[in-house]
Amino acid sequence: MLNIALEAANTASKYSLKGFYEAGTFTRKIDNTIVTATDLKVENVIREVLQVKTPHISILGEELGTNIEGEFSTGWIIDPIDGTRAFLYGVPLFSTLIAYVERGIPLVGVISFPAIDTMYYASLGNGCWSKKGDLAPKRICTQIKKTKKLSEAVVSISGIHSTNFDSREGNKAYNLSNVVNSAQDMVFINDCYQHSMVATGRIDCAIDTLMKPWDIAAILPCLTEAGVYYANINGNKTNVINGGSLVSASSSELLDEVIVALNL
């Protein structure tokens, strides 16, 4: 399944890159999020590859949905352009996310950043790997870096929505001020790229306050195989794919402290 996901991501990358350099218009969906023609094109390209390789496996995509009724638990999950605003406004940290899930557990995850020619990918039990251009894949692991205290940590967040800085979205305004005031340093990093940076040990913790299953599924195998700890923003460490948010950290102690700070 991993090789199929990698093939689909590689096939789609030329279309997302073309759209990135030509991007300029968008429309709004019912939930007020934005979508471009490239989102739709890339999802269709990925679906074509998956349907040829695995014709009997169901697909859930951000833009085209699924034909499965009820909660989607087994099959492919696609986010064609994760970070559509970054894509639209010329920030090269947008990604394509492809996951394979069985009974609600993400087993395979591919995170492709076409504009920086970089991929992170994992399958459960086989490690998390990074690949840059034509260089050989490199296994990544956070075990050597275990920051345990928020006061020593570099923390990122993808945006201020659903926080005390901007409470217009979500059901709760999480107390981001507590984290900003306590962390060694704070930085904004686009969408799933921040979780990749936790996996590589460049930063210590990443916070996403509002997410959908297609935002989360591909990230989780990579975090698991890299030795990263994670939960949703309320501290739930089970069924995180449907948890609506994601916090990743280099240690369990740091994860718990950040979650407590956000919920005070």
Side-chain angles (χ1 to χ4, degrees):
M1 290 301 190
L2 175 58
N3 287 336
I4 294 170
L6 288 168
E7 179 181 343
N10 281 319
T11 301
S13 63
K14 63 180 179 182
Y15 297 97
S16 57
L17 272 178
K18 182 176 185 294
F20 178 60
Y21 293 120
E22 298 174 354
T25 60
F26 65 92
T27 58
R28 290 193 179 273
K29 296 185 281 188
I30 293 174
D31 63 359
N32 206 38
T33 58
I34 63 176
V35 61
T36 70
T38 304
D39 290 86
L40 298 169
K41 176 64 178 178
V42 170
E43 182 164 327
N44 274 310
V45 168
I46 293 170
R47 282 174 177 267
E48 288 172 6
V49 174
L50 299 181
Q51 287 165 351
V52 168
K53 298 291 185 178
T54 57
H56 304 298
I57 293 179
S58 299
I59 299 173
L60 168 64
E62 177 180 7
E63 309 305 339
L64 302 177
T66 184
N67 58 4
I68 299 297
E69 295 183 4
E71 186 174 288
F72 189 94
S73 62
T74 298
W76 296 104
I77 300 182
I78 306 165
D79 189 345
I81 303 292
D82 182 59
T84 303
R85 282 185 170 83
F87 172 86
L88 184 64
Y89 303 142
V91 180
L93 298 182
F94 67 91
S95 64
T96 293
L97 306 177
I98 304 174
Y100 176 70
V101 177
E102 283 187 359
R103 300 180 185 88
I105 299 174
L107 301 181
V108 167
V110 172
I111 305 170
S112 172
F113 298 97
I116 58 172
D117 200 11
T118 300
M119 276 192 180
Y120 298 94
Y121 56 88
S123 58
L124 290 191
N126 296 300
C128 179
W129 300 80
S130 66
K131 190 174 190 308
K132 176 73 173 178
D134 295 327
L135 298 177
K138 179 181 178 181
R139 190 165 185 170
I140 59 176
C141 183
T142 61
Q143 296 298 328
I144 59 173
K145 185 177 184 181
K146 291 290 183 184
T147 301
K148 294 184 177 181
K149 294 181 180 180
L150 180 54
S151 60
E152 301 169 345
V154 178
V155 181
S156 73
I157 189 165
S158 63
I160 59 173
H161 42 273
S162 194
T163 72
N164 58 305
F165 292 102
D166 184 354
S167 60
R168 291 173 294 176
E169 295 180 77
N171 298 318
K172 179 177 179 179
Y174 293 96
N175 198 338
L176 184 59
S177 294
N178 280 339
V179 179
V180 173
N181 292 332
S182 300
Q184 181 188 84
D185 201 4
M186 196 86 189
V187 63
F188 285 96
I189 301 178
N190 277 99
D191 301 285
C192 76
Y193 191 72
Q194 61 174 345
H195 298 289
S196 301
M197 293 301 94
V198 176
T200 60
R202 297 296 296 270
I203 63 173
D204 303 297
C205 179
I207 302 166
D208 263 306
T209 56
L210 293 174
M211 301 180 83
K212 300 290 187 181
W214 45 79
D215 300 312
I216 300 172
I219 299 174
L220 298 188
C222 295
L223 296 181
T224 297
E225 291 300 307
V228 174
Y229 297 82
Y230 58 82
N232 81 349
I233 202 167
N234 296 311
N236 189 345
K237 298 175 183 177
T238 61
N239 194 26
V240 178
I241 187 175
N242 293 306
S245 56
L246 182 64
V247 180
S248 61
S250 61
S251 72
S252 59
E253 296 89 347
L254 177 59
L255 176 66
D256 292 342
E257 185 178 358
V258 169
I259 288 171
V260 168
L262 288 166
N263 283 278
L264 285 176

